[in-house]
Amino acid sequence: MSNFLATSDLSSYLPIFLVTLMAAGFAIANFFITMILGPKRDGKVKGETYESGMVPMGTARKRFNVRFYLIAMVFLVFDVEIIFLYPWATTFPNLAHGDSNAIIWLSRIFFFLLTTVVAYVYGYRKGVFKFD
Amino acid sequence: MDKPEFLTAQLIVNAVVVALTIHVMLLTVAYLIYFERKISAYIQDRIGPNRVGLDFGLPALSFLKNVIGLGQPLADGLKFFLKEDYTPSKVDKVLFSLAPMMSITPALMGFAVINWGGVWNFPDFTIPLLNWHIEGGPVQVAGANIGVGIIYMLAIASLGVYGITLGGWASNNKYSFLGGLRATAQMISYEIPLGLALLSALLVYGTTMPDQIVRQQVSEGWMVLTQPLAAVIFFTAILAEANRAPFDNAEAENELVGGYHTEYSSMRFALFFLAEYAHMLTSGALFTLLFLGGYHLPGSSLPGLDLLSPESTTFVAVVAKYAVFFTKVVLVICFQMVVRWTLPRIRYDQVMAVAWQVCIPLALAHVVVISVALYMDWRAPWQLFVANVAVALVFTALQGRVGIPSTNKRLPLYGSRFSPMPGEKVVTGPTNPVALEDRPVQSLHAR
């Protein structure tokens, strides 16, 4: 079975490097091809910001709703939590049934989840998840 | 020159699969756009693109002239190249050019760890001229055979949000800015239910390696049957992740023109467009791998039909598995398209409310229940199914009782008859005498 398991050495990441090169190459090549092939015409009105044909009012660099910021913060809490759960999720089910360690693994991770649930409830009571 | 140590049969197959699949993907993405137009046309009782053939104007190829518009994607692509690549004067020029590239690159990278063709028993061979002997043996027909497995896909898929955010910000356009903000908030919000649904699937698999995942589904049944709740949450999340309808508020035409790509033209716009479809393809492949049994089809364990079983490692079997896998992915995407053209767009606050008030608690409860089930050693498919259904039913019963509103709140709107702004006098019915006269019923009463 050892052949089916991925090697942990860095050379197994070489194809990732290859696919990165190919994807980035596709993006850059497209960008330059259209730059060369396309026509070039410019004008004062053409360069204006599109605002449904009206004369643009002010700039888009304005303050925006703080809710997006809150979402980003809460997202960080949850995302980091989930990342920590993946290694557990791939090892925990492989413990044999009746293993004395299993209850410790389970309760520790439940405690960890509980901290996030507390954060969720706090955010909920504070109205972070309300969007109207 | 000696053979470098890392040059194994596995690496060669990986490189070939990467080089092949990225081209297959780009071609498929082009034709997915054609599919989308055709499907939407049939749903709306139209014909769709049916004129452009594959004859390229050559008389020798005139038999390819009437091929239900199959030349349309190629013509569209060529036209994108020949259009003006315009940069408006008020944009942040560097970021404006960088954003589409940052959008397409991760979208084309994510597929790498997908195991398209199972295991191939690679023959021994010697590279001519260099005289390097490559030792054969079973190799994974995947783009990359790395230890993190499908976690790589999540990592890469979440990079796609940068391109959209930057595109929205750099455009210096209010529509783009709002579209970018919406898309960012929505994508990061739905990443959490996506990750949690994946977690409950991984808990049952106990591994992140694609090949092992498919093997377990071959022996214990597809995950979509054993864990339907996880599949539903996952599918909802990948729809929202790719900004697909009914969650396509980022580019809601009636509100935001084109969303984050309002100011883009030519190939730079097309890169955003391709990225969306490549993202769909990647997430469809992940869904197929996790929940639809990968390359496996029912009945492939019978004798005589065992081409698709994990044990057959010939080249023909690998090609057949690749074809089956890709067909499944395309079918998943066709389902996403039917969803897009069937369901109306959900309002933005509802999209976010579904993510944070429904999907995340539900997925979290699901993970807890599945891990308890595994602790109690309830691993049989029917037990997992019962656990899924139980979580879904209990959550539905609790909804509306623990602060999650199950009905829509009426937002006060200026000029609305049903929910006017506070203090606003609402006039129902016409006030103009001419309009009154136009109404035959009312004018009858007046007489």
Side-chain angles (χ1 to χ4, degrees), chain B residues 41-101:
Chain B
Y42 287 137
I43 286 175
Q44 297 170 346
D45 203 7
R46 293 183 284 119
I47 296 172
N50 70 336
R51 292 303 164 95
V52 188
L54 288 167
D55 60 332
F56 302 106
L58 302 172
L61 292 172
S62 61
F63 63 94
L64 285 174
K65 216 165 190 172
N66 292 316
V67 281
I68 54 169
L70 279 179
Q72 188 73 44
L74 301 178
D76 283 346
L78 266 180
K79 188 148 187 171
F80 271 128
F81 278 122
L82 297 173
K83 285 288 168 186
E84 180 176 2
D85 187 17
Y86 190 67
T87 310
S89 56
K90 286 184 182 156
V91 302
D92 185 330
K93 292 206 169 48
V94 178
L95 292 183
F96 189 76
S97 306
L98 209 59
M101 294 191 225

Side-chain angles (χ1 to χ4, degrees), chain A residues 68, chain B residues 161 164-165 167-169 173-187 243 248-252 255-262 348:
Chain A
F68 292 107
Chain B
V161 76
I164 288 171
T165 316
W169 170 257
N173 179 327
K174 283 161 204 144
Y175 298 126
S176 302
F177 181 59
L178 287 175
L181 267 183
R182 280 185 175 191
T184 312
Q186 175 183 332
M187 284 169 89
N243 280 322
D248 60 344
N249 289 271
E251 38 198 297
E255 301 162 20
L256 295 175
V257 189
Y260 52 85
H261 53 60
T262 303
Y348 186 65

Side-chain angles (χ1 to χ4, degrees), chain A residues 34 42 52 57 61 93 120 124, chain B residues 169 174-175 266 356 379 403:
Chain A
T34 184
D42 211 342
S52 306
M57 289 166 65
R61 302 272 190 267
Y120 180 84
Y124 194 94
Chain B
W169 170 257
K174 283 161 204 144
Y175 298 126
S266 174
W356 287 99
R379 286 168 194 250

Side-chain angles (χ1 to χ4, degrees), chain B residues 271-287:
Chain B
L271 287 183
F272 275 126
F273 207 63
L274 287 178
E276 184 188 324
Y277 281 81
H279 205 95
M280 281 168 72
L281 204 64
T282 314
S283 50
L286 188 56
F287 186 77

